[in-house]
Amino acid sequence: MANALDILKRYWGYDSFRPVQKEVVESALSGRDTLAILPTGGGKSICFQVPAMMKDGLALVVTPLIALMKDQVQNLKARGIKAIAIHTGMTRRELDLALNNAAWGDCKFLYVSPERIATQLFLSYVDVLNVNYIVVDEAHCISQWGYDFRPDYLRIGELRAIVDAPVIALTATATPEVAEDIMERLSVRGEKFKLIRGGFERPNLSYLVRHTEDKYGQLLNVCRKVDGSGIIYMRNRRLCEEISSFLASAGENVSYYHAGLSASEREMRQEAWKSGKIRIMVCTNAFGMGIDKPDVRFVAHASPPDSIEAYFQEAGRAGRDGKRSWTLLLWTEKDLRNMRQLLDLSFPPLDYIEDVYQKIHVFGSIPYETGAGARLRFDLEAFCRNYSLQRAKTHYAIHYLEQSEHIIYSEDVAVPAQVKILSDRQGLYDIDLPERSMAELLELLMRLYPGIFSYAVTIDEEDLSRRMGVTVPILRQLLYRLSTEHVIRYIPAVCSSLVTLRHDRLRPGNLNLQPERYRMLRGTASSRIDAMAQFVTENDMCRSRFLLNYFGQSETEDCGTCDVCRGRKGSGREGDVREKIREFVRLHPDYDARMLGDWASDPRNGMPENTAILVRRMLDEGEIPEPLGHPLDRL
């Protein structure tokens, strides 16, 4: 481990590993397959980056999050470590160049999106990549019992058959059942995994859950009472903008973030928040993945997330520096009803899913028995408008088509240009083009892209310009002029969502939507909703203990700082609250109701929701003096 500490100090500036990090690094260096379950902020990346730096070759890192992938590559490059990423949206030439550099360019980390590891191009490079570790980030995605199952992750097991390298699998959220499933799916030759589970305790976090109809007021209150940076999670884009506008009108330094913003706008707002120019970010769950901002003082949820796993991961973005921080979860009975309704929405009927499958192909002009590998630019809003479909229901239908391995759906990626020849091959001989270069380009397109008569194919503009002996701008002018002559349909490169077709279009009735898996996934989703509903309505068990027990950590103690610990019923607890109220009055002899209300509602003081009732009782009993000025309706 002395060499590991040298690497840690030289590249990351740390003098020592955290205890669990040390155990993971030791296991990886011994050559054992290792599953590390570390909570958000536990320093998972160092667990594989340090061992990979100590061995010849490169670490092959499989991760589903393109934003996280780019962020880690950038961070490694800033430390003087060569890292490369390949993902959806890159042209074949870009992929070929990246893989070539990974194989021969002294690269230490190759980040790969899961759908890439089964492609012929990637597999053609596997023998020369000299892989020292297969790293599986977000490893819960490989388990069908996990909350974010991705079918492409199953191909990692196939990769192990041809790559002789130990696995380092990492996740922040895995129940015991999910952990067993991960190890079973990744194991080879019967070798046993080393399971390392970090403690999920976050003693500096205070978990606060409040039943309230006044969500706007509660969110404003936490923004005003808690200094420092904060995140407020909302369920949809509209609410992000509404809450952000409300808080801004109240004088808070706030912005919003969701997938409806352009990629450049999202990046700009994220950087402004990370640097402190924006204090509070109101966002959907699209925000925060992979962001290592240690000084987040509070994370608020305006309604319960779909699962304990999602809540724990999002709430865990607070207080990574170890200082006191707060998480606030607001809920109403309507929220619990909506969660149940969302379950039905999340699993539309199988015939609806098949109908969406066919409409996607019609939308992309893909005939039957063609289209395998085609990448279609996909605007969900326009698609739903065109076919009068409900957006949310269609979104989940597409998600299930992805889970059942019919398509790959990627949001907000750089999409290269596409071309489709509008005439049949025979009809091209009757077209009189004004320039020879246009005819040469048309001939080149036909030769390089055999499917170009059937559907819009992705083209490599840099490769075409090189073959034509012209610059890329001139090539684009030629393509545009061919489109104005109605010879081709030319779709310029943009940043867009993308649907990749895994196979040729199937005829109605031939789709395998795996009904047994559908029922299993719906059942596990229902169980996660039950657990979330139990968490928010729990009045007796410490919030921290509830979370720890959910993730299989049975030896726990009350945290003493959550709302349950501070507000337990009973004379002993009521006596503690009464004493705190008496202490406040002693320190503020000239208090008024507004002062007392502000103090009682400050989440840092841990007062229960029934504080106002108890204060009135203490006043009636003469235990404390009447407040000055205004009566207690201010409390």
Side-chain angles (χ1 to χ4, degrees):
M1 288 298 291
N3 290 338
L5 287 171
D6 289 342
I7 294 288
L8 183 69
K9 178 67 174 177
R10 186 189 320 164
Y11 291 101
W12 283 272
Y14 300 127
D15 293 316
S16 62
F17 292 102
R18 299 173 186 175
V20 179
Q21 286 178 327
K22 182 174 182 288
E23 191 178 355
V24 177
V25 171
E26 285 177 334
S27 177
L29 290 174
S30 74
R32 287 195 66 176
D33 291 337
T34 305
L35 170 60
I37 305 175
L38 282 72
T40 300
K44 292 188 291 295
S45 58
I46 281 177
C47 293
F48 69 84
Q49 288 171 346
V50 169
M53 291 294 294
M54 297 176 64
K55 291 194 174 186
D56 291 337
L58 59 79
L60 180 64
V61 186
V62 183
T63 178
L65 305 167
I66 294 177
L68 175 58
M69 185 188 297
K70 292 178 178 178
D71 190 54
Q72 289 208 8
V73 167
Q74 183 179 344
N75 288 338
L76 287 166
K77 287 181 177 178
R79 300 179 194 282
I81 302 170
K82 187 168 182 181
I84 293 171
I86 62 172
H87 51 77
T88 303
M90 298 171 68
T91 65
R92 182 182 174 86
R93 182 174 181 278
E94 289 171 333
L95 293 168
D96 206 0
L97 183 61
L99 287 166
N100 192 64
N101 284 338
W104 313 112
D106 195 29
C107 174
K108 290 303 297 180
F109 295 92
L110 175 60
Y111 284 78
V112 187
S113 55
E115 69 273 7
R116 283 286 164 204
I117 60 177
T119 62
Q120 196 59 46
L121 179 62
F122 176 80
L123 293 174
S124 69
Y125 275 90
V126 164
D127 290 340
V128 294
L129 284 177
N130 189 21
V131 176
N132 56 30
Y133 290 102
I134 298 174
V135 179
V136 185
D137 198 14
E138 306 294 334
H140 57 272
C141 294
I142 202 172
S143 171
Q144 295 189 61
W145 304 107
Y147 76 101
D148 195 18
F149 170 66
R150 309 280 181 101
D152 282 304
Y153 263 69
L154 297 174
R155 304 189 188 282
I156 301 172
E158 301 169 13
L159 185 65
R160 295 214 66 191
I162 55 176
V163 178
D164 185 19
V167 162
I168 306 173
L170 308 114
T171 180
T173 50
T175 62
E177 182 181 46
V178 170
E180 285 297 325
D181 198 25
I182 292 170
M183 292 186 288
E184 182 179 338
R185 292 180 181 279
L186 290 176
S187 63
V188 291
R189 299 182 297 276
E191 295 177 5
K192 191 170 179 61
F193 260 76
K194 170 81 170 178
L195 172 61
I196 300 171
R197 187 185 292 273
F200 282 80
E201 297 95 338
R202 294 291 303 278
N204 65 310
L205 278 193
S206 294
Y207 296 101
L208 308 176
V209 178
R210 287 184 177 165
H211 177 271
T212 180
E213 298 292 339
D214 182 21
K215 293 186 176 183
Y216 280 46
Q218 290 283 348
L219 292 173
L220 177 59
N221 187 60
V222 75
C223 292
R224 286 178 169 172
K225 297 297 182 183
V226 181
D227 295 330
S229 184
I231 305 173
I232 299 175
Y233 281 106
M234 310 300 299
R235 272 201 172 272
N236 60 53
R237 301 175 186 182
R238 177 183 59 80
L239 286 174
C240 280
E241 297 180 19
E242 285 184 6
I243 291 289
S244 177
S245 177
F246 166 73
L247 294 174
S249 67
E252 296 298 325
N253 178 9
V254 61
S255 186
Y256 64 87
Y257 181 108
H258 56 61
L261 299 169
S262 68
S264 59
E265 183 65 25
R266 291 200 308 273
E267 183 175 356
M268 183 180 70
R269 295 188 187 198
Q270 179 173 297
E271 288 304 315
W273 178 79
K274 286 172 68 175
S275 66
K277 293 178 182 176
I278 293 172
R279 187 172 82 91
I280 301 161
M281 187 64 75
V282 185
C283 54
T284 60
N285 60 8
F287 182 77
M289 298 300 279
I291 294 176
D292 187 17
K293 183 172 171 61
D295 60 344
V296 178
R297 294 278 71 86
F298 73 90
V299 171
H301 287 82
S303 57
D306 298 334
S307 67
I308 296 290
E309 290 92 338
Y311 170 73
F312 189 75
Q313 191 168 61
E314 290 162 8
R317 292 183 181 128
R320 292 189 182 184
D321 56 5
K323 297 180 181 179
R324 175 58 55 191
S325 303
W326 287 264
T327 71
L328 176 65
L329 171 56
L330 307 176
W331 70 280
T332 64
E333 280 79 8
K334 184 180 178 182
D335 289 328
L336 301 186
R337 291 195 300 271
N338 288 343
M339 287 168 65
R340 285 287 161 206
Q341 291 169 0
L342 184 60
L343 177 66
D344 293 331
L345 197 64
S346 301
F347 289 89
L350 291 176
D351 56 352
Y352 183 91
I353 296 172
E354 178 163 2
D355 185 53
V356 168
Y357 169 87
Q358 296 295 348
K359 284 181 167 62
I360 287 172
H361 288 75
V362 174
F363 196 62
S365 302
I366 305 295
Y368 289 117
E369 288 148 15
T370 64
R375 295 194 293 175
L376 313 174
R377 296 181 191 186
F378 190 77
D379 183 334
L380 180 59
E381 302 288 349
F383 178 76
C384 292
R385 266 197 319 272
N386 190 68
Y387 295 108
S388 301
L389 298 173
Q390 184 181 349
R391 186 189 182 282
K393 193 174 180 180
T394 304
H395 167 81
Y396 288 111
I398 290 170
H399 181 62
Y400 188 75
L401 285 171
E402 185 174 32
Q403 286 198 324
S404 54
E405 301 186 69
H406 293 289
I407 65 171
I408 300 169
Y409 181 54
S410 309
E411 294 186 83
D412 304 310
V413 295
V415 183
Q418 294 179 310
V419 169
K420 180 180 187 295
I421 296 178
L422 300 176
S423 171
D424 59 26
R425 193 179 292 270
Q426 186 62 37
L428 291 179
Y429 294 108
D430 299 326
I431 298 174
D432 185 21
L433 295 172
E435 289 185 25
R436 178 171 177 76
S437 56
M438 293 168 67
E440 291 174 353
L441 175 56
L442 192 58
E443 184 179 345
L444 186 60
L445 289 168
M446 287 188 287
R447 190 169 77 245
L448 293 177
Y449 305 104
I452 199 167
F453 287 94
S454 300
Y455 52 83
V457 300
T458 298
I459 63 171
D460 187 335
E461 291 180 313
E462 290 189 13
D463 181 53
L464 285 170
S465 66
R466 181 172 49 79
R467 291 173 184 266
M468 289 283 295
V470 298
T471 63
V472 171
I474 293 205
L475 174 81
R476 288 172 176 162
Q477 289 179 20
L478 290 172
L479 289 166
Y480 177 72
R481 293 179 67 187
L482 281 171
S483 70
T484 59
E485 295 285 338
H486 304 291
V487 177
I488 67 170
R489 180 162 55 121
Y490 171 49
I491 310 169
V494 293
C495 182
S496 171
S497 295
L498 195 69
V499 167
T500 304
L501 306 179
R502 287 185 178 272
H503 51 70
D504 289 340
R505 181 182 174 186
L506 300 172
R507 293 184 180 275
N510 289 339
L511 228 63
N512 179 16
L513 291 177
Q514 305 169 31
E516 289 187 8
R517 175 189 278 184
Y518 176 91
R519 286 189 289 272
M520 181 273 292
L521 291 173
R522 183 185 172 99
T524 55
S526 179
S527 298
R528 286 193 292 270
I529 288 173
D530 289 342
M532 194 73 235
Q534 184 182 351
F535 176 72
V536 300
T537 56
E538 178 63 56
N539 289 320
D540 296 321
M541 180 181 284
C542 163
R543 302 288 181 196
S544 179
R545 289 187 81 170
F546 186 104
L547 295 171
L548 297 176
N549 289 351
Y550 181 84
F551 290 112
Q553 191 170 329
S554 56
E555 296 182 9
T556 61
E557 296 180 357
D558 288 355
C559 70
T561 64
C562 71
D563 61 292
V564 174
C565 287
R566 290 175 164 180
R568 280 198 177 96
K569 307 295 182 184
S571 58
R573 178 55 191 150
E574 183 175 309
D576 293 340
V577 177
R578 283 175 179 261
E579 178 54 37
K580 290 180 77 170
I581 295 170
R582 287 194 296 268
E583 179 66 15
F584 171 84
V585 172
R586 282 196 295 270
L587 293 174
H588 305 87
D590 296 329
Y591 82 100
D592 61 22
R594 186 186 297 276
M595 287 173 58
L596 181 56
D598 288 345
W599 171 78
S601 61
D602 188 332
R604 293 171 295 183
N605 294 323
M607 300 301 287
E609 289 184 48
N610 63 350
T611 297
I613 298 172
L614 185 55
V615 167
R616 290 188 178 94
R617 195 184 308 155
M618 292 172 72
L619 286 168
D620 292 341
E621 295 168 0
E623 191 171 346
I624 58 174
E626 292 281 348
L628 299 177
H630 208 277
L632 275 180
D633 59 2
R634 289 282 185 175
L635 180 58

